[in-house]
Amino acid sequence: MRPPVILKTTTSLLDSSSSSPPCDRRLNTLARHFLPQMASHDSISASPTSASDSVFNHLVRAPEDPILGVTVAYNKDPSPVKLNLGVGAYRTEEGKPLVLNVVRRVEQQLINDVSRNKEYIPIVGLADFNKLSAKLIFGADSPAIQDNRVTTVQCLSGTGSLRVGGEFLAKHYHQRTIYLPTPTWGNHPKVFNLAGLSVKTYRYYAPATRGLDFQGLLEDLGSAPSGSIVLLHACAHNPTGVDPTLEQWEQIRQLIRSKALLPFFDSAYQGFASGSLDADAQPVRLFVADGGELLVAQSYAKNLGLYGERVGALSIVCKSADVASRVESQLKLVIRPMYSSPPIHGASIVAAILKDRNLFNDWTIELKAMADRIISMRQELFDALCSRGTPGDWSHIIKQIGMFTFTGLNAEQVSFMTKEFHIYMTSDGRISMAGLSSKTVPLLADAIHAAVTRVV
Amino acid sequence: MAIRNSLTGQFLRRSSVAGARLMSSSSSWFRSIEPAPKDPILGVTEAFLADQSPNKVNVGVGAYRDDHGKPVVLECVREAERRVAGSQFMEYLPMGGSIKMIEESLKLAFGDNSEFIKDKRIAAVQALSGTGACRLFAAFQQRFHPNTQIYIPVPTWANHHNIWRDAGVPMKTFRYYHPESRGLDFSGLMDDIKNAPDGSFFLLHACAHNPTGVDPSEEQWREISSQIKAKGHFPFFDMAYQGFASGDPERDAKAIKIFLEDGHLIGLAQSYAKNMGLYGQRAGSLSVLCEDEKQAVAVKSQLQLIARPMYSNPPLHGALIVSTVLGDPDLKKLWLKEVKVMADRIIGMRTTLRENLEKKGSTLPWQHITNQIGMFCYSGLTPEQVDRMTNEFHIYMTRNGRISMAGLNTGNVGYVADAIHEVTKSF
C-alpha cells in the first residue's frame, strides 16, 4: 500500500534571488509528481533549500514493525524481572542465543580449509546443498527425487524461498491467486503481493476452541477456484501453533488434489517442531506420494540456528523430469535480477552437516534437545496454570506445536501483563515459548492468572 | 507473451475436461513452460571447460584470477574470518543489515570525515552485493517515483536491464560507448542527458564501466554532473569496483565526490565482490543521500519495507568480514595493499597485451586497451573474429569482444596477443 503523499509548504516569502532556470525545472519536475495534490495547497516555495525541493520529500516514515516494537519496548524496560516473549528465535534456558555445537565445528573446518575460496556459486546455489535439502524434506527414498522430478534452488532462508516461488508462479502459472490461512505469518501477504499474486484467505484457527477450524478450512478450500495456489504451513503453524492431525492432512490432501489446487508448503520448522525431522515432514511427503505437483519453501534458520546466515531452499515437484528441467531454467531468470546468486557461507555449513553421517546424527541430537525444551516449557506452563486454578481451559498450550503459542489472551490482558508484570508479547496474545525457562514459567503463570481474573 | 498465451490455451482446454481427468499423468501445471534462454557468459565458461586443448584460455570469466589463473582469497579476509569464527552468534541482522558494515561502507564511499555522514543525511541498508542493491533501489524507484524512467548506458552490464524490468520500471537508454574510437561518446551522452525529461533517473557506473572499461575523465564527469543538475535528474551510481579499478579507493570514488560537491542527492550501490574478493558471500550496500536526517530516516524505513518481503534480512557472514576488515586499522591497511596488487596486475596485463600486439607488427590502434579501466576490455573484435579466436586458438570470450583482463596472465598473454593479431590482420 503506497503511503499517502504529503506535500509540505512554506509560508515564507518567495526569494527571487534564489530562483534560477535549473531550480525552476527541478520544481516543475517535482510538481508533476504532485499534480493530483497541488490543488489543495496554496503555494510552494521556490527556495532550493526547501524540503519540497527534494525527490524524497513526499515519503512518509514507514510503520514500525509490531514484533520489533515489542523487543524495542522490552529493551527499554528497566525492570530486572522483565520477560521477552515476542522474540522469534530460539533461546537457551539462560535466555541466550544458541549456536549449535555441530555448526561451530563445521564453521571452523570450513575456515581452516585453505583450499576453499569465495567464488560465486551458481544462480541456483550449491548443488550439494540443493540435493541434500530435497532429500531432507522429501525423504531419501522419495520417488519424485529418484525420477528427477524435483528441482531445488537455494534461496535466502524461508522468506527468500517464498518470494522466489511467488514470483515464479506469478510469471508462469495460469492462476494468480494464493490462499493464506487465517491467521498466518505477518510477512506472507506482503511477500506474495509484491511477488505479483493476489491474496485470499481460508479459515484455519478457531478462537472458540483455540484449535483448528477444520470444517471451515475444508469449506473454504472446497470453494476455491480450480488451480488456485494454497499456502500450507508444513508444521508448527506460525503464529498459532495449531497443526492438523495426520488424518486431517489426508483429507486436506484429497480435497486439494480433487479440486486441482496447487499446494505451496512453508516448512520453516522441520525437526524443530516435534524433534523428529521425518515426522515434521510427513504432511509434505503425503502430498508428494500421490505423484502430484507442489512447491516447498524450506528454512534452516530455526532447526540449525542459522538465522542470520540466510539459508533456505525452494523445491518444486513436477510431473516429469523434463518439466522440472524447464522449471529450473526459468527459476534462474527470477533469481538473477533479484540478487544474482545466493550467499555461500551458510549453505556450505548445511551441506557439510547433511552430507556427513556423524555430523548429521549430532545435529539430530541437538535439534531434539531444542524441541524437547520447548515441549517441556509448554507442559510446565500448563501445569503452573492448573496449580494456580487459573480459570479456563489451557490444554491448547500443550496441544499446540512449535515455537509459538496462541494463548487466547486479548489485547487488554496483554497490555495489563506488560504494565504490571513487564511481560512482553504481541497484542494478539502470541507468545514465543522459546523465551521461557523453568525459572520464568512461574512468573508468566502468575501474570496470566492475574490477567484473566482481573481483566475481562 | 507467447508463454502466457500458451498457458491460457492450456487452461481453457483443461477446464472443459471432467474434474477427475485433471489428475491424469499427462496433466502438469508447468508443462507449458519453455526452457529459458542460455546465459551467454555461462555458456562461454562451459564451452571452455569442455575444451580439451592444453592451450585454452578463458577470458570470459567475471572474477579476479591471480597470475596462475587461480581464484584468490585475500589474506585480510582470511584473517577476518579467523577472528569472527566462534566469537559471533548467528542471530538475525536487522532488516537494514549490519550497522557496522554500513558505517564502514559509507566512510569508504563518502569519505571518513564526510559531512553527510555526520549530519545523518544518508539512508543506507546492507544489500545482497551490488545486484541486490540495484534491485532494492529499482523497487524503491518504482514505488515512490512510478512515473519516472531509468536511463541506462549503451552498453551496460546485462543484468541491469533485468533488474529494472523485473522491478517494473520503464527503461530508456543513453549513448555511452563510441565504437569508432573505442572510447566514450561524450557528445552523444550529453545530448541524451539534455533531451531526457526533467527528473529522470540515470544509472551511472562510478568507475571501471562494465563491459567496456571506458570511463569519463574528471573533466567530463564535471560536465556530466552539471548537465544532470541542470535537468533535475537523479543520479544512481553502481560502484562495483572501488579500489579494484585503479588500486586507489579514493580515486575510484572521484565521480561521486564531484557529484556531491555539485550538491546532488545520489543513490549508490556498493559491492565487495571484486574489491574484497567476497563474490559468493554477497556483501554490498545501498545508500541514498537525502536532504536531512528526518528524510533519511523515512527513506531507510521504506527501503527496509522493500527488503523484508524479499528476503527478510541480509546474510551475516560477508558483512562480518567487511566490517572486520574495514574496521581494523591493520587489516584495512593490508586490504588496501592487496587490492592494489590486484589492480596493478590487471593494469600490467593491459600494458603487456598492447605491447605484444604492437611488437607483432599489428598496424591497428590498440591504445584503448590501456585507456580502458578495470577488469574488462572492449577489444573491438567482431563476432566473426571472436569465433575464430575460439575455433582456431581455443580462446573463449563473449561475442561482443569483451575480454576479461583477469583471465590473462604472464603465461598466456603472449599467446592471446598472437591470436588477436592473427584474426585482425588484413590479408
Side-chain angles (χ1 to χ4, degrees):
Chain A
M1 197 63 207
R2 180 174 176 162
V5 175
I6 298 174
L7 177 61
K8 294 196 177 82
T9 61
T10 174
T11 55
S12 66
L13 289 173
L14 181 68
D15 183 353
S16 59
S17 67
S18 65
S19 296
S20 64
C23 184
D24 287 345
R25 279 195 282 271
R26 191 174 182 86
L27 286 172
N28 288 337
T29 300
L30 290 170
R32 283 205 296 274
H33 299 306
F34 302 140
L35 277 178
Q37 290 82 27
M38 282 294 281
S40 64
H41 297 278
D42 295 325
S43 65
I44 182 168
S45 170
S47 166
T49 58
S50 162
S52 64
D53 193 39
S54 167
V55 291
F56 305 123
N57 186 56
H58 63 297
L59 260 74
V60 298
R61 186 191 300 248
E64 187 78 45
D65 182 271
I67 294 176
L68 197 65
V70 169
T71 297
V72 169
Y74 166 83
N75 287 334
K76 281 180 185 170
D77 191 325
S79 168
V81 296
K82 62 184 180 178
L83 190 55
N84 186 4
L85 301 178
V87 61
Y90 183 80
R91 293 288 182 261
T92 64
E93 183 75 8
E94 295 76 37
K96 297 291 204 314
L98 175 67
V99 180
L100 302 189
N101 288 326
V102 69
V103 167
R104 288 280 190 225
R105 282 155 51 203
V106 170
E107 193 179 43
Q108 199 61 54
Q109 284 171 26
L110 296 177
I111 283 164
N112 291 342
D113 181 358
V114 296
S115 73
R116 291 189 71 251
N117 57 51
K118 307 230 178 280
E119 294 294 280
Y120 291 123
I121 63 182
I123 295 169
V124 296
L126 293 176
D128 272 357
F129 168 82
N130 288 337
K131 286 191 180 72
L132 292 161
S133 291
K135 267 190 193 177
L136 192 73
I137 188 71
F138 299 127
D141 57 353
S142 167
I145 291 180
Q146 290 169 13
D147 297 343
N148 288 310
R149 290 189 286 110
V150 180
T151 187
T152 305
V153 296
Q154 179 192 336
C155 296
L156 275 100
S157 210
T159 304
S161 306
L162 293 165
R163 175 60 176 263
V164 168
E167 289 207 10
F168 170 82
L169 291 173
K171 274 184 169 178
H172 297 292
Y173 188 60
H174 63 88
Q175 274 266 22
R176 284 191 168 185
T177 302
I178 185 164
Y179 280 76
L180 307 181
T182 302
T184 193
W185 181 44
N187 214 14
H188 278 147
K190 300 185 189 80
V191 167
F192 293 116
N193 270 319
L194 284 176
L197 299 176
S198 71
V199 167
K200 291 195 173 183
T201 59
Y202 63 92
R203 280 171 284 172
Y204 189 86
Y205 176 72
T209 63
R210 297 172 186 168
L212 186 69
D213 182 357
F214 189 52
Q215 198 56 42
L217 183 156
L218 293 180
E219 286 172 11
D220 290 348
L221 293 188
S223 51
S226 176
S228 298
I229 307 154
V230 180
L231 181 80
L232 303 161
H233 296 228
C235 63
H237 181 272
N238 175 4
T240 68
V242 173
D243 284 345
T245 65
L246 267 190
E247 292 70 33
Q248 288 169 330
W249 271 119
E250 172 57 22
Q251 290 186 64
I252 294 168
R253 183 197 67 78
Q254 286 175 27
L255 175 66
I256 284 181
R257 294 309 194 197
S258 70
K259 295 283 300 183
L261 306 175
L262 179 64
F264 193 160
F265 280 94
D266 186 354
S267 173
Y269 301 100
Q270 186 185 359
F272 187 84
S274 71
S276 164
L277 289 158
D278 290 325
D280 288 346
Q282 203 55 39
V284 173
R285 294 177 184 179
L286 215 57
F287 278 76
V288 176
D290 65 21
E293 290 176 316
L294 60 91
L295 293 84
V296 188
Q298 284 170 279
S299 168
Y300 292 94
K302 308 298 197 305
N303 58 10
L304 262 169
L306 291 174
Y307 303 94
E309 300 297 354
R310 318 307 297 137
V311 193
L314 169 71
S315 283
I316 302 186
V317 179
C318 306
K319 280 299 187 99
S320 73
D322 172 59
V323 172
S325 169
R326 289 187 262 129
V327 164
E328 176 176 276
S329 70
Q330 295 289 355
L331 282 169
K332 290 181 197 175
L333 295 201
V334 169
I335 292 167
R336 183 152 167 75
M338 201 177 287
Y339 46 81
S340 279
S341 61
I344 187 176
H345 187 68
S348 302
I349 294 174
V350 175
I353 292 170
L354 298 185
K355 192 184 310 183
D356 180 286
R357 191 189 319 119
N358 293 327
L359 291 171
F360 187 88
N361 286 341
D362 290 345
W363 173 42
T364 57
I365 291 168
E366 294 190 81
L367 180 55
K368 188 168 192 305
M370 287 195 286
D372 284 351
R373 195 184 87 72
I374 287 178
I375 291 167
S376 69
M377 288 303 100
R378 290 181 175 281
Q379 188 66 53
E380 288 187 24
L381 179 60
F382 175 77
D383 292 344
L385 291 171
C386 288
S387 72
R388 282 161 180 71
T390 308
D393 175 7
W394 298 98
S395 59
H396 59 287
I397 292 180
I398 49 182
K399 286 177 188 165
Q400 288 172 7
I401 295 163
M403 183 179 288
F404 299 110
T405 291
F406 239 32
T407 57
L409 297 166
N410 61 42
E412 290 72 33
Q413 290 166 329
V414 168
S415 178
F416 168 85
M417 289 172 65
T418 301
K419 290 206 265 299
E420 300 295 324
F421 289 85
H422 309 280
I423 293 176
Y424 291 81
M425 66 182 79
T426 49
S427 60
D428 56 4
R430 185 194 86 165
I431 64 178
S432 170
M433 301 303 296
L436 280 180
S437 64
S438 296
K439 189 177 46 180
T440 57
V441 159
L443 169 63
L444 177 60
D446 287 346
I448 293 178
H449 183 83
V452 302
T453 55
R454 287 153 61 180
V455 184
V456 295
Chain B
M1 210 58 212
I3 291 177
R4 194 159 300 281
N5 287 339
S6 174
L7 280 167
T8 302
Q10 284 285 338
F11 182 62
L12 287 175
R13 280 195 294 276
R14 189 178 303 122
S15 65
S16 66
V17 177
R21 292 183 55 185
L22 282 171
M23 296 312 299
S24 72
S25 59
S26 65
S27 167
S28 168
W29 296 128
F30 309 117
R31 180 148 48 90
S32 57
I33 290 177
E34 296 296 320
K38 196 99 171 176
D39 182 278
I41 294 176
L42 220 56
V44 167
T45 297
E46 282 174 8
F48 166 79
L49 292 173
D51 191 324
Q52 300 299 312
S53 167
N55 299 320
K56 64 182 183 178
V57 179
N58 184 6
V59 285
V61 61
Y64 182 78
R65 295 285 182 263
D66 67 9
D67 204 49
H68 306 284
K70 296 294 197 300
V72 172
V73 178
L74 302 185
E75 185 50 41
C76 61
V77 167
R78 293 267 194 222
E79 175 57 28
E81 269 199 322
R82 284 190 283 266
R83 295 187 189 184
V84 304
S87 68
Q88 301 282 332
F89 290 119
M90 288 180 177
E91 292 284 272
Y92 290 124
L93 288 172
M95 281 185 288
S98 160
I99 292 171
K100 188 74 167 86
M101 177 193 166
I102 289 167
E103 282 171 4
E104 297 297 340
S105 298
L106 293 185
K107 287 198 279 186
L108 190 66
F110 291 89
D112 282 353
N113 301 308
S114 164
E115 293 293 326
F116 307 115
I117 297 177
K118 286 176 186 166
D119 295 343
K120 298 194 172 93
R121 285 181 49 192
I122 307 173
V125 294
Q126 181 188 337
L128 285 138
S129 208
T131 303
C134 287
R135 176 57 179 262
L136 282 182
F137 186 80
F140 176 82
Q141 180 186 352
Q142 192 281 326
R143 187 176 292 194
F144 294 102
H145 288 281
N147 300 316
T148 58
Q149 299 162 117
I150 182 74
Y151 277 76
I152 290 178
V154 179
T156 192
W157 179 46
N159 211 16
H160 281 144
H161 297 279
N162 303 327
I163 290 167
W164 264 267
R165 180 201 63 229
D166 274 20
V169 176
M171 289 176 284
K172 290 222 164 148
T173 57
F174 64 91
R175 283 168 285 175
Y176 189 87
Y177 178 71
H178 192 242
E180 291 74 21
S181 66
R182 296 172 187 170
L184 187 70
D185 183 357
F186 184 62
S187 63
L189 185 158
M190 294 295 279
D191 281 349
D192 290 345
I193 294 174
K194 252 175 264 176
N195 295 328
D198 290 357
S200 297
F201 284 63
F202 270 76
L203 171 65
L204 304 168
H205 298 226
C207 60
H209 180 273
N210 176 4
T212 68
V214 172
D215 285 346
S217 68
E218 180 174 329
E219 292 69 35
Q220 288 169 331
W221 273 124
R222 292 192 187 283
E223 291 191 56
I224 293 168
S225 171
S226 182
Q227 187 61 251
I228 285 185
K229 189 95 189 294
K231 295 283 296 187
H233 296 326
F234 186 86
F236 180 76
F237 285 94
D238 188 352
M239 181 158 72
Y241 300 99
Q242 187 184 7
F244 184 85
S246 72
D248 180 347
E250 268 187 55
R251 184 194 312 178
D252 290 344
K254 185 66 179 178
I256 288 169
K257 189 173 178 188
I258 288 169
F259 273 68
L260 296 176
E261 286 168 351
D262 273 358
H264 288 276
L265 301 186
I266 68 166
L268 170 65
Q270 285 172 275
S271 167
Y272 291 97
K274 307 298 196 308
N275 60 8
M276 247 184 230
L278 292 179
Y279 303 95
Q281 301 291 1
R282 320 306 295 138
S285 68
L286 166 66
S287 44
V288 179
L289 175 61
C290 303
E291 287 285 347
D292 52 38
E293 179 183 356
K294 184 184 176 205
Q295 189 176 98
V297 169
V299 169
K300 173 163 181 168
S301 67
Q302 298 289 355
L303 290 174
Q304 290 176 158
L305 217 61
I306 292 169
R308 178 145 173 79
M310 200 170 282
Y311 45 79
S312 278
N313 40 68
L316 175 63
H317 193 71
L320 283 175
I321 295 174
V322 172
S323 54
T324 301
V325 170
L326 295 183
D328 178 273
D330 291 331
L331 282 183
K332 183 171 184 183
K333 200 174 302 176
L334 177 57
W335 172 63
L336 289 169
K337 187 171 130 198
E338 293 187 281
V339 73
K340 189 168 192 306
V341 166
M342 292 194 286
D344 284 351
R345 194 186 89 69
I346 285 178
I347 293 166
M349 285 301 102
R350 290 182 176 279
T351 302
T352 305
L353 179 64
R354 179 180 169 183
E355 283 172 358
N356 274 268
L357 279 163
E358 288 167 354
K359 263 188 287 188
K360 283 290 159 198
S362 173
T363 55
L364 298 172
W366 296 108
Q367 58 266 31
H368 61 288
I369 295 180
T370 47
N371 286 344
Q372 290 170 6
I373 296 164
M375 182 180 290
F376 299 112
C377 173
Y378 233 38
S379 63
L381 295 176
T382 66
E384 295 72 33
Q385 289 167 335
V386 169
D387 288 344
R388 285 190 60 200
M389 296 276 288
T390 301
N391 298 329
E392 299 172 33
F393 298 94
H394 310 277
I395 296 172
Y396 291 82
M397 66 182 77
T398 48
R399 292 191 94 235
N400 58 5
R402 187 191 82 167
I403 293 175
S404 171
M405 303 303 296
L408 292 181
N409 52 61
T410 52
N412 65 19
V413 63
Y415 176 73
V416 173
D418 289 353
I420 293 175
H421 177 55
E422 192 63 31
V423 304
T424 55
K425 69 186 184 186
S426 37
F427 297 105

